[in-house]
Amino acid sequence: MARVARTSSALVLGFIVVVALLTRGTMPVSGQAPAAAAPPSAEQIAPFVGNWAVTLAIMANQVTMGVDVKNDGGTPSVTVRSQGQPDVVVKDISVSGKSLVLKYVMQAFNNALSAVLTITPDGASGRATMAVMDGQYEMTGSARKLAPGETVQLTAFGGGGDSSPISELTDFTPKP
């Protein structure tokens, strides 16, 4: 009986050592989960603070969204709005190079879809891209910082139900 107990103990100890060795490369030395990335600093978020009209297109369909970027005492906050959708308060905000990167979940046809919206300003205007469902669908378009007090008609895909898939915010000027 003692031999069976020692053999079982040796097997359990061996199993624990193997699991520890296999997971060693994936666990931080401290044994704690890695910390979440720090939010952008006030200096990093400064070029993006304000209200933006973001127009994105995929094939012949277009959407115009409002993206409100604030710096609340050094803490960035972003809200994304579009017609027919609930406002989304973005929790995952980062700056990569000269681009604001927003990762959030939106609702479409009662489905939760992951989205990554990137705004790259060039003065008061700029580029915008969105990857949906981990990049399965990608949209490109423009972003324009609104003047104080300026409003814009938010749309859903297809121009918000009207017959035109093109928004009045579409910028057809040549780009470098």
Side-chain angles (χ1 to χ4, degrees), residues 3-48:
R3 181 182 290 166
V4 171
R6 276 186 258 157
T7 304
S8 296
S9 297
L11 286 173
V12 170
L13 181 60
F15 178 76
I16 292 172
V17 169
V18 168
V19 169
L21 289 174
L22 290 175
T23 60
R24 184 176 176 177
T26 61
M27 291 296 293
V29 175
S30 66
Q32 297 179 3
S41 67
E43 182 180 305
Q44 289 174 308
I45 201 77
F48 306 100

Side-chain angles (χ1 to χ4, degrees), residues 85 106-113:
Q85 295 288 318
M106 63 181 179
Q107 295 293 319
F109 306 108
N110 295 322
N111 293 310
L113 304 175

Side-chain angles (χ1 to χ4, degrees), residues 129-154:
T129 61
M130 178 183 270
V132 180
M133 296 173 58
D134 297 324
Q136 290 184 37
Y137 300 97
E138 294 187 7
M139 296 172 264
T140 60
S142 62
R144 181 175 64 87
K145 192 180 261 189
L146 301 175
E150 180 183 3
T151 60
V152 66
Q153 176 65 41
L154 303 179

Side-chain angles (χ1 to χ4, degrees), residues 56 65 67 80 88-92 102-106 113-117 130:
L56 298 163
M65 304 182 306
V67 178
V80 177
V88 176
V89 176
V90 179
K91 302 286 186 201
D92 191 342
L102 309 172
K103 296 178 184 177
Y104 60 99
V105 175
M106 63 181 179
L113 304 175
S114 63
V116 178
L117 175 62
M130 178 183 270

